[in-house]
Amino acid sequence: MLGRLTLNFFTSGAKSTATEDRRRLILLNAILGAGFLALSAASASAYFSRRNIPLAITDAVFAAFAVALLVFLRTHLRIRMVGVISCVLIFVLFNYLIVTGGDHNTGPLWAYLFPLFSFFLVGGKTAIWLNGAMFLAAAIPLLVPTFALAKYELAFAGRFLGSFAVLSSITYAFEYSRVDAQNKMNAAQKETNDIFNSLREGLFLVLKEGERYVVGTRFSPVTTGFLEELNLAGRDFIDILAHVKPDIDRHTTLQYLELYFSADLDETMLTELNPLKLVEGRLGLAFEFHRVHKQDFKTGATLGVESLMCAITDKTDELRLQRELAAQEHKQSQQMRLLLEILHANPALLGEFVASAMEYENEIAQALQNETGDRVALVNEIYRKVHSIKGDARALGLEYIGEIAHGIEDKLAALRKLPTIEGKDMYAVTIAFGGLHSHLGELKELLARIKSHAAISETTTQTPLTDQIYAVARQLNKSTEKNVAIDTTHFDEAAIPIELARRAREILTQLIRNSFAHGIEAANERAAQGKSAKGKITIATKVAAGVATLSYADDGRGLDADAIKRKAIAAGVLAESDAALLPQPKIFALIFRPGFSTTERADGDSGRGMGMDIVHNHVRAVGGRIRLATKIHNGVSFSFDFPLEKTTT
Amino acid sequence: MKLLIVDDSAIIRKAIESFAKDFPVEIVGQATNGKEAVDLFTKLKPDIVTLDITMPEMDGLEALKQMLKINAAARIMIVSAISNNQVVIEALAAGAKHFLTKPFNETTLKAGLQKIMA
């Protein structure tokens, strides 16, 4: 506190106070300081040269008051209080001078200073009251001789009081208009600040400093958040931009800003070229520039470009909406595709597909939820089901669903390559599966809508299995560009119990797909072997002694025992040392192992060796038996025996 | 005032030619690539040039620089698609006086011509 005593005499640490107070503080400092010196000098002069002891003592007392007030002011900064006390002291001093007459009756002259002191040091109503009091206090000794030690003429008293009244009125008017102007300016300034501070846009000036562009000293509060930088004033604008977006094109941005300072270039045109229209960093920010012209204050004419005003708008939400809209459009186009595919498919088969796919899907969802023990087995199981869904979807021409299922298969195939499958690895599958789930849901919904609009009768009875077989073959003939005929002369659908129908359909779908993919050769290869160009698949049924037999044969290239052995060794299913000794039936049995395939390529129609595994599972589930016969170049045939009394679905 | 039209598209040259008729300019020549443009610029000494940016032989930016080297007072308007804005900024920095967005219409072209003749 005492440290303030040593501060600059005329400012007295005034930097920390408001404008109006600072003015008073400086004035008080000066007056008290000068008053102390003047009063000390006056006291000395009164004592030494004129031996006016009462005046000398009075001056000395007031000098002491002045120095005490000065110290108090500088230590406590109580500006108004010191102002009022000073005025009261001056009031007393001046009255003393009027009453006593001072040196050579000049005492009253000092009173002319009172309006200045009171209005400048205290101001307002207090100053008016102080002036009124001064006027009355001066009038009494001037007009009534008994109250004064000095002698005053009436004419002098009248002129003195008149001029004092005029002086204090003028001082009041001056001070009043000054304070009024000051208040208006403060209000205007506050308004500007309020507007500036409540801006939602980043706003600041970009100044040109030599070859650099720097940010001005003032910026709207949101600017710091947008630019992720607290200290913006005087910083290089391009550096700050690079902070927001590291790969910003500095050269073009610099050139662009430079163009704004070429006053003859059209500003609208420059706005069009803005390379900072959308700067995508953490936020999406739009920068906009406007020229700030130098102005000749006398003529009001513009004199070239002084700086640029930069406004930043947050476009993050807009950008997000745009992206969402694009995603929505994408989804709609997918739905449209699905819809078109549905319209081309057999409606009755579609209903069945959706029902069975949903059933599979539920099973998979549950398996994923209760996932605990053997993850390899779980992955294999999911794989079989997804593969079935894919096959059926493709067979119906639902390429879109087929693609999604294929995507899930890809993920599962990747999992199967891992040495161990962790719980977290299953997440990706679960997520991908969610996609399939929602698309199947959409499909179901679309189907329901189509049915309600197009009066497609909802078939409660199942589509004949024969129709389904032909539908699959038709689809494959189209997609593989092969020419294969299906012979169902000896196929009697009634021979297959209703509860086995789904399994039979899937077994047949799988086998037909395998025949198209692996068994039946291309036309030229068939011709070279003396086969007819058209391939043939024969499907038949037989019921005897409580056993329903489903048989299937194609006239393709047959199974190649050596190829199967090589593949099994490569897949790690068979040890090389055992391979030579393995009898042929056991070699062929290898194709029913999970994950076995003789084609490396996985596409929509054949697979990654999951097909026969599915077949095997279906047969095993109902306690059936598989028989296989094949001869190289002479096709393959399967027989499935289902015990009729022991069927479960 | 003498005007030189530079664009590799005949349709655009035709459009500029027909819209420029309303202005007190004399079309002194038309060029279809940058090289031809610089040759004609040297020979015909036009005051105003409308200049395409993407052209065969020599692109507009290079042609602009050469023309301004020959006559720094020439008023050159770039005619280009906005997708090229980096090149357009480069051209304006090199001394082109205006830029007209492609595709333009009668109003924007006339406003552009007005701008470079001012």
Side-chain angles (χ1 to χ4, degrees):
Chain A
M1 191 187 279
L2 287 171
R4 291 212 190 105
L5 276 174
T6 57
L7 289 173
N8 182 311
F9 189 83
F10 287 104
T11 59
S12 186
K15 274 178 197 144
S16 58
T17 53
T19 334
E20 192 60 26
D21 281 346
R22 185 184 336 173
R23 195 179 61 87
R24 293 221 163 102
L25 181 63
I26 295 168
L27 210 62
L28 274 172
N29 256 310
I31 287 169
L32 290 171
F36 164 70
L37 293 174
L39 286 164
S40 307
S43 169
S45 139
Y47 179 76
F48 290 112
S49 53
R50 297 190 299 285
R51 291 281 157 194
N52 187 344
I53 292 164
L55 186 61
I57 292 171
T58 312
D59 283 349
V61 167
F62 279 99
F65 268 128
V67 81
L69 272 176
L70 184 63
V71 170
F72 179 72
L73 173 72
R74 292 170 71 91
T75 52
H76 290 75
L77 286 181
R78 300 287 294 270
I79 297 162
R80 187 169 169 82
M81 188 185 179
V82 174
V84 173
I85 295 171
S86 303
C87 280
V88 171
L89 284 175
I90 292 165
F91 175 89
V92 174
L93 176 65
F94 287 175
N95 264 296
Y96 170 80
L97 291 171
I98 293 170
V99 171
T100 57
D103 273 342
H104 312 295
N105 263 9
T106 57
L109 292 179
W110 291 102
Y112 284 136
L113 290 174
F114 193 73
L116 297 175
F117 286 143
S118 58
F119 280 113
F120 291 167
L121 290 181
V122 180
K125 282 192 180 127
T126 322
I128 297 174
W129 282 111
L130 281 168
N131 272 282
M134 185 72 208
F135 183 83
L136 288 175
I140 295 165
L142 280 168
L143 296 172
V144 188
T146 43
F147 288 107
L149 300 173
K151 282 194 188 332
Y152 296 112
E153 305 265 335
L154 190 63
F156 173 81
R159 283 181 186 120
F160 172 83
L161 290 170
S163 52
F164 181 84
V166 169
L167 189 64
S168 49
S169 305
I170 290 171
T171 313
Y172 171 71
F174 172 78
E175 178 66 4
Y176 178 82
S177 65
R178 191 195 62 79
V179 168
D180 190 51
Q182 177 84 48
N183 287 343
K184 278 184 183 149
M185 214 171 77
N186 288 348
Q189 179 79 42
K190 186 179 175 300
E191 225 170 86
T192 316
N193 285 347
D194 287 349
I195 293 171
F196 198 71
N197 289 334
S198 57
L199 278 178
R200 281 160 178 241
E201 287 81 30
L203 197 71
F204 54 90
L205 290 179
V206 176
L207 313 168
K208 194 176 176 188
E209 263 181 19
E211 297 293 299
R212 293 190 331 142
Y213 293 92
V214 298
V215 179
T217 47
R218 278 204 80 182
F219 35 85
S220 63
V222 292
T223 317
T224 51
F226 284 169
L227 299 179
E228 295 164 51
E229 185 64 65
L230 286 176
N231 305 315
L232 287 170
R235 293 278 306 278
D236 190 296
F237 181 56
I238 308 280
D239 282 351
I240 285 170
L241 279 178
H243 179 66
V244 175
K245 189 174 191 282
D247 61 342
I248 197 111
D249 183 347
R250 279 171 173 268
H251 177 70
T252 304
T253 312
L254 261 172
Q255 261 184 344
Y256 180 68
L257 293 177
E258 187 62 46
L259 293 181
Y260 269 92
F261 285 85
S262 307
D264 59 336
L265 290 178
D266 186 56
E267 194 164 338
T268 324
M269 168 196 82
L270 291 178
T271 314
E272 264 180 67
L273 288 171
N274 190 352
L276 304 177
K277 232 173 237 162
L278 189 61
V279 177
E280 282 183 76
R282 188 180 57 86
L283 300 169
L285 299 176
F287 289 73
E288 231 179 277
F289 300 94
H290 302 280
R291 281 176 175 145
V292 178
H293 290 277
K294 276 180 214 152
Q295 268 199 331
D296 185 327
F297 284 108
K298 279 182 198 150
T299 60
T302 51
L303 302 168
V305 183
E306 185 164 47
S307 58
L308 297 182
M309 188 179 83
C310 175
I312 311 176
T313 337
D314 186 357
K315 298 274 185 198
T316 315
D317 288 346
E318 216 167 287
L319 215 63
R320 188 174 45 80
L321 276 175
Q322 268 175 18
R323 289 202 187 111
E324 278 173 8
L325 208 66
Q328 192 72 31
E329 269 169 19
H330 178 65
K331 200 181 161 200
Q332 272 171 2
S333 76
Q334 283 178 331
Q335 273 191 335
M336 186 51 81
R337 191 180 151 196
L338 195 57
L339 188 67
L340 287 172
E341 287 175 357
I342 290 171
L343 290 174
H344 281 101
N346 178 326
L349 285 180
L350 259 178
E352 227 164 84
F353 164 72
V354 172
S356 77
M358 289 280 222
E359 195 180 309
Y360 270 152
E361 202 233 294
N362 275 332
E363 287 167 18
I364 299 172
Q366 282 194 351
L368 276 171
Q369 241 171 33
N370 309 327
E371 179 267 309
T372 41
D374 187 355
R375 293 207 185 92
V376 178
L378 176 67
V379 167
N380 282 337
E381 190 196 330
I382 298 175
Y383 203 111
R384 275 193 291 276
K385 287 174 175 162
V386 172
H387 193 72
S388 286
I389 295 176
K390 179 177 93 171
D392 288 349
R394 291 263 155 104
L396 281 169
L398 297 175
E399 295 297 328
Y400 182 56
I401 301 272
E403 276 167 28
I404 293 166
H406 192 71
I408 300 175
E409 272 189 7
D410 279 337
K411 290 201 169 69
L412 291 164
L415 285 186
R416 284 163 70 177
K417 289 207 177 98
L418 296 175
T420 52
I421 303 170
E422 303 283 328
K424 67 177 161 52
D425 296 330
M426 300 303 291
Y427 286 141
V429 179
T430 311
I431 290 167
F433 207 72
L436 179 64
H437 173 80
S438 74
H439 286 296
L440 282 174
E442 264 166 40
L443 178 63
K444 194 179 173 188
E445 199 186 310
L446 280 171
L447 215 55
R449 268 195 248 167
I450 292 171
K451 274 180 182 162
S452 68
H453 286 297
I456 296 169
S457 64
E458 180 131 17
T459 44
T460 43
T461 52
Q462 291 219 324
T463 324
L465 191 52
T466 326
D467 287 1
Q468 297 186 25
I469 292 165
Y470 281 111
V472 171
R474 224 177 7 255
Q475 179 66 32
L476 286 168
N477 265 322
K478 211 166 86 189
S479 65
T480 60
E481 291 175 358
K482 282 182 180 172
N483 189 1
V484 181
I486 307 267
D487 178 1
T488 54
T489 321
H490 301 288
F491 179 75
D492 177 14
E493 214 170 315
I496 296 165
I498 189 87
E499 60 271 28
L500 281 176
R502 197 190 86 187
R503 294 188 193 279
R505 178 173 60 83
E506 276 177 22
I507 290 170
L508 288 172
T509 308
Q510 205 56 58
L511 292 176
I512 295 170
R513 281 167 57 198
N514 281 357
S515 290
F516 272 85
H518 314 293
I520 293 167
E521 314 86 336
N524 53 355
E525 197 182 329
R526 288 178 70 86
Q529 292 182 17
K531 291 183 181 177
S532 70
K534 198 169 189 162
K536 189 179 171 192
I537 291 173
T538 313
I539 301 171
T541 47
K542 199 174 81 189
V543 183
V547 176
T549 305
L550 173 66
S551 55
Y552 176 97
D554 73 26
D555 67 344
R557 56 172 71 92
L559 296 180
D560 180 348
D562 287 337
I564 293 170
K565 264 198 281 188
R566 278 197 304 274
K567 175 70 193 175
I569 292 166
V573 177
L574 180 67
E576 203 161 353
S577 52
D578 300 340
L581 299 167
L582 206 65
Q584 212 168 46
K586 291 214 166 170
I587 296 172
F588 292 138
L590 288 170
I591 65 169
F592 296 105
R593 293 275 197 95
F596 179 86
S597 175
T598 49
T599 17
E600 279 296 341
R601 189 172 52 90
D603 58 37
D605 296 322
S606 68
R608 304 173 177 89
M610 253 305 161
M612 294 316 287
D613 176 25
I614 293 174
V615 171
H616 184 235
N617 263 292
H618 279 304
V619 177
R620 201 181 48 188
V622 293
R625 244 186 83 196
I626 305 176
R627 275 170 294 148
L628 182 155
T630 183
K631 198 175 166 201
I632 199 122
H633 302 313
N634 274 321
V636 61
S637 69
F638 296 92
S639 295
F640 304 96
D641 293 342
F642 299 112
L644 285 176
E645 69 281 9
K646 198 191 165 190
T647 51
T648 41
T649 44
Chain B
M1 258 195 265
K2 292 190 282 184
L3 170 66
L4 173 66
I5 301 171
V6 187
D7 205 301
D8 60 343
S9 151
I11 296 167
I12 296 213
R13 289 199 306 273
K14 193 83 198 153
I16 297 174
E17 189 183 347
S18 65
F19 294 142
K21 281 202 179 103
D22 296 350
F23 290 91
V25 290
E26 179 202 347
I27 297 159
V28 289
Q30 299 193 6
T32 57
N33 64 55
K35 204 171 162 313
E36 206 182 316
V38 177
D39 290 346
L40 286 179
F41 185 85
T42 320
K43 203 162 72 190
L44 304 168
K45 300 184 173 53
D47 309 289
I48 313 171
V49 181
T50 71
L51 181 63
D52 184 17
I53 285 285
T54 31
M55 286 184 300
E57 293 263 345
M58 181 196 288
D59 71 16
L61 190 60
E62 184 53 37
L64 171 92
K65 286 175 183 164
Q66 295 203 12
M67 286 191 255
L68 286 172
K69 215 179 273 173
I70 298 162
N71 175 16
R75 302 187 65 82
I76 300 173
M77 174 162 73
I78 301 294
V79 183
S80 164
I82 192 78
S83 54
N84 260 342
N85 73 344
Q86 201 179 322
V87 184
V88 176
I89 289 170
E90 187 86 41
L92 288 166
K97 289 296 175 220
H98 196 65
F99 154 65
L100 178 67
T101 326
K102 253 188 205 173
F104 53 79
N105 56 36
E106 188 172 346
T107 322
T108 57
L109 176 75
K110 284 185 173 173
L113 287 172
Q114 194 89 52
K115 192 83 200 159
I116 49 165
M117 288 195 306

